[in-house]
Amino acid sequence: MRTTIRIPKPAALAAAVCLALGGPALAADKAGKSAGHPKTTEGELRYMGPPSGVKPEEVPAPPTPPPMTKAEFERAKRIYFERCAGCHGVLRKGATGKPLTPDITLKRGTEYLKAFINFGSPAGMPNWGTSGELSPEEVDLMARFLQHEPPTPPEYGMKEMKATWKVLVPPEKRPKRKMNRINIENLFSVTLRDAGKVALINGDTKKIEAVIDTGYAVHISRLSASGRYLYTIGRDAVVNLIDLWMDPPQTVAQIKVGLEARSVETSKYKGWEDKYAIAGTYWPPQYVIMKGDTLEPLKIVSTRGFTVDTQEYHPEPRVAAIVASHQRPEFIVNVKETGKILLVDYTDLKNLKVTTIDAARFLHDGGWDRTRRYFLTAANKSNKIAVVDSKRGKLVKLIEVGKIPHPGRGANFVDPKYGPVWATSHLGDEHIAVIGTDPKGHPQYAWKVVRMLKGQGGGSLFIKTHPKSHHLYVDTPLNPDPKLSQTVAVFDIRHLEKGYKVLPIAKWAKLGPGPKRVVQPEFNKAGTEVWFSVWNKKDQRSAIVVVDDRTLKLKAVIKDKRLVTPTGKFNVYNTRHDIY
């Protein structure tokens, strides 16, 4: 077989070179089109033809990542999105967790990454290998995967949302009154993380009233202002609307608002109760406002933009915590990577008004002070707490705290010396920062760290108390030391200087083998009991441990084969009224 290579005539070759250099075109047809680019005019070629100012020798060739088969890459991608993206970002640019882009990971190498994934760190990196969450094979797989370029997921807009939107029971066909005999105000919505469900547990009887299919790894449960509807959002961005009046309670509407998410909330301002719901997504970085009783998507708003400090563009500023203002008809939206807090006025969606508050990068969780006027929220990797006056719509202060604050909603109590305060624990160190919150009664302490308590260690996710309790509970589920991850520290608010007492929650559960991480204290409505999740692997037994708040003694252990990887718990009354 002969191959013929055609050598261009000198004139044609000169024309091509001249075009590339932006000079006059020597080869064009009668219609004024370039012979080499039949759909491009001579003028366009002249405009686009000049060479780039980038010198080829200045652009280094990328290092070669370790080999992976297509099947291995797909498996690693699934593990990453399920386990890692929440801290490190979909594009692996980092937030709570460090950046994991190839320019960093290739320098570290496979063995270094394997050790870090296997053993974790006190700063909050879970010990994925030694805890049994990932096998040695999976640890090796992830170490290799992290050295490849991160895959970019597709965008997700109104068309995609509406394709998933389901109204299973229309509002007009729902009960006109409560049909069950459950004391709804003392009902707990319990996340069954790896099962993709929530369990509704009766706080009075300790019995499971219903197990409801939801999205994967529900991050939070939120209550409508009326207390009738329960909203859940999975990390896969599936939102469920559950009617607690039905017998048994069940999902009446559902929608998928993106590919990854963490937050959902409902309108609570007087006159707007239950009218709207809002969900914020990690990917794509945006939020959507929906009808409160059907989840019909109404308006999508992107959060991509520039950071508050270096003013550089960020392609993945994820929506973290969202709370509903009690002072104005607004949602307060944390944009994580850019460090901006958005006050979204929902009175006119067609002419949406958004106030942007510059705070600090890596905004995450937060909650109200006891008056429900001031919103205190963690900028976790910036080691700050931002305080927003929701009545005036302004930033009050940025407060330096410990390493990587992670309050959940935080804890409000009256300090015997400093008056009303709000507290947060930390992922990165053992301290609990106590901040004054009473600018009128105790102005000398307002918006200052008045105490820095020493707890068990880093790796704390949640801190909790109750207006009727004199105890402050601090978990440490992400600490690599099982002695800490399986216990909780309890402070007596009346004598904080005396330190903490340790409760052996996992030991009380009597579950046998497994990591048995103890996570998220949650009070019952009366403030007399504290519930803890003992979180084991999906194929191991887990439990809910109930402690008598007055005596700090074991009161009950809830065990059921349906309690698969229980994590977050949300008491209906406390969640509805922002009591923490």
Side-chain angles (χ1 to χ4, degrees):
M1 180 176 179
R2 298 179 62 187
T3 301
T4 302
I5 301 176
R6 299 184 180 275
I7 307 297
K9 294 179 179 180
L13 183 61
V17 172
C18 196
L19 278 172
L21 296 176
L26 299 179
D29 62 19
K30 293 180 180 180
K33 300 287 184 69
S34 166
H37 296 273
K39 293 186 179 181
T40 307
T41 66
E42 177 184 331
E44 288 176 302
L45 279 174
R46 287 185 176 185
Y47 176 74
M48 296 182 291
S52 169
V54 178
K55 297 179 180 179
E57 61 271 17
E58 292 179 349
V59 182
T64 303
M68 296 185 76
T69 66
K70 183 178 179 180
E72 285 180 325
F73 192 86
E74 290 301 312
R75 184 181 173 194
K77 186 169 65 173
R78 175 173 291 277
I79 293 172
Y80 181 82
F81 287 133
E82 289 182 353
R83 303 290 189 186
C84 315
C87 284
H88 299 283
V90 169
L91 301 181
R92 305 210 309 253
K93 291 185 177 293
T96 303
K98 294 182 178 181
L100 294 173
T101 45
D103 59 310
I104 298 169
T105 55
L106 279 165
K107 294 177 183 177
R108 298 288 188 267
T110 301
E111 293 306 313
Y112 175 94
L113 294 170
K114 282 169 64 175
F116 198 70
I117 295 168
N118 194 49
F119 295 106
S121 77
M125 172 71 175
N127 53 326
W128 294 111
T130 57
S131 69
E133 291 286 342
L134 297 180
S135 68
E137 177 195 2
E138 289 171 328
V139 169
D140 176 75
L141 184 72
M142 296 308 296
R144 288 183 285 130
F145 170 77
L146 293 178
Q147 296 173 73
H148 287 253
E149 286 293 330
T152 302
E155 298 297 319
Y156 202 91
M158 187 63 74
K159 177 183 176 182
E160 289 78 12
M161 289 186 196
K162 286 197 171 181
T164 69
W165 173 48
K166 305 172 189 174
V167 180
L168 305 174
V169 183
E172 64 273 15
K173 293 186 178 181
R174 297 171 196 167
K176 305 303 180 187
R177 58 182 176 84
K178 189 165 80 76
M179 302 302 292
N180 57 61
R181 296 183 178 181
I182 304 169
N183 177 11
I184 289 177
E185 290 194 333
N186 200 32
L187 190 69
F188 287 77
S189 176
V190 180
T191 296
L192 306 180
R193 187 187 189 280
D194 293 341
K197 304 174 187 288
V198 293
L200 301 182
I201 303 181
N202 191 315
D204 297 337
T205 66
K206 313 294 188 293
K207 302 295 184 183
I208 296 177
E209 298 288 352
V211 175
I212 298 173
D213 290 333
T214 59
Y216 168 76
V218 162
H219 193 244
I220 56 172
S221 297
R222 287 289 173 260
L223 273 296
S224 64
S226 67
R228 173 174 182 170
Y229 292 114
L230 174 72
Y231 297 77
T232 67
I233 188 163
R235 295 193 175 212
D236 56 2
V238 172
V239 179
N240 276 48
L241 174 62
I242 299 168
D243 188 349
L244 298 179
W245 280 13
M246 299 179 79
D247 188 18
Q250 61 183 273
T251 295
V252 293
Q254 188 181 74
I255 189 172
K256 183 174 172 65
V257 294
L259 301 182
E260 187 187 5
R262 294 294 186 279
S263 52
V264 68
E265 182 61 288
T266 66
S267 52
K268 292 182 178 178
Y269 189 69
K270 187 176 181 180
W272 295 86
E273 297 93 337
D274 296 12
K275 184 173 179 63
Y276 292 125
I278 182 173
T281 49
Y282 270 25
W283 189 271
Q286 61 194 29
Y287 59 88
V288 57
I289 300 174
M290 304 165 282
K291 284 187 177 180
D293 60 352
T294 65
L295 301 182
E296 178 185 356
L298 302 174
K299 191 175 190 70
I300 304 170
V301 182
S302 173
T303 55
R304 289 183 170 101
F306 292 82
T307 61
V308 296
D309 45 11
T310 57
Q311 298 286 298
E312 59 185 303
Y313 180 77
H314 199 292
E316 191 191 352
R318 301 173 292 175
V319 177
I322 301 177
V323 296
S325 174
H326 300 275
Q327 306 292 326
R328 303 197 293 195
E330 292 177 339
F331 293 119
I332 301 179
V333 179
N334 276 353
V335 184
K336 195 180 187 87
E337 279 73 20
T338 56
K340 296 177 180 180
I341 300 173
L342 310 180
L343 309 183
V344 181
D345 183 332
Y346 49 71
T347 57
D348 185 355
L349 298 187
K350 289 188 178 298
N351 301 284
L352 192 69
K353 296 178 182 178
V354 179
T355 299
T356 301
I357 295 175
D358 286 355
R361 293 181 71 179
F362 311 118
L363 293 164
H364 196 59
D365 282 349
W368 297 105
D369 78 310
R370 66 173 188 161
T371 68
R372 298 192 301 186
R373 172 176 173 173
Y374 297 99
F375 177 54
L376 295 96
T377 185
N380 51 31
K381 287 291 284 185
S382 295
N383 304 328
K384 292 179 173 64
I385 296 293
V387 183
V388 172
D389 183 344
S390 66
K391 188 174 183 178
R392 296 175 62 237
K394 293 182 179 296
L395 181 71
V396 176
K397 193 171 182 182
L398 289 173
I399 305 168
E400 294 281 347
V401 290
K403 187 176 180 181
I404 315 179
H406 193 289
R409 288 299 176 102
N412 287 303
F413 59 93
V414 178
D415 186 286
K417 181 177 179 180
Y418 302 106
V421 296
W422 178 92
T424 179
S425 53
H426 299 82
L427 274 167
D429 65 37
E430 71 272 25
H431 293 107
I432 296 96
V434 181
I435 298 168
T437 60
D438 186 14
K440 289 186 177 180
H442 298 78
Q444 68 274 38
Y445 305 130
W447 320 128
K448 298 176 182 177
V449 176
V450 295
R451 293 185 191 268
M452 193 66 88
L453 305 174
K454 186 174 182 179
Q456 289 202 90
S460 175
L461 289 180
F462 298 102
I463 183 171
K464 192 63 66 77
T465 189
H466 188 278
K468 295 182 179 178
S469 171
H470 58 78
H471 290 124
L472 178 67
Y473 297 84
V474 184
D475 69 15
T476 44
L478 296 188
N479 196 289
D481 185 348
K483 292 180 181 178
L484 305 188
S485 64
Q486 296 181 5
T487 61
V488 295
V490 187
F491 292 84
D492 186 331
I493 291 169
R494 301 166 300 182
H495 306 286
L496 291 168
E497 68 284 350
K498 292 185 178 180
Y500 57 85
K501 180 178 181 179
V502 177
L503 301 186
I505 302 298
K507 182 179 179 181
W508 285 345
K510 297 181 180 179
L511 291 175
K516 299 186 288 291
R517 292 189 288 267
V518 175
V519 64
Q520 205 213 29
E522 177 76 344
F523 277 84
N524 64 345
K525 177 189 175 185
T528 58
E529 298 174 353
V530 193
W531 292 35
F532 298 90
S533 296
V534 184
W535 171 22
N536 245 344
K537 292 175 61 177
K538 185 176 181 179
D539 57 353
Q540 295 171 324
R541 298 176 71 200
S542 293
I544 304 293
V545 170
V546 182
V547 173
D548 185 311
D549 179 64
R550 183 180 63 85
T551 64
L552 300 182
K553 302 294 185 183
L554 176 64
K555 188 169 184 178
V557 178
I558 304 172
K559 294 180 180 178
D560 190 294
K561 64 181 180 180
R562 294 172 289 177
L563 287 178
V564 177
T565 57
T567 51
K569 301 162 299 304
F570 302 88
N571 177 268
V572 166
Y573 184 85
N574 294 337
T575 303
R576 177 187 174 194
H577 294 281
D578 291 307
I579 295 173
Y580 31 78

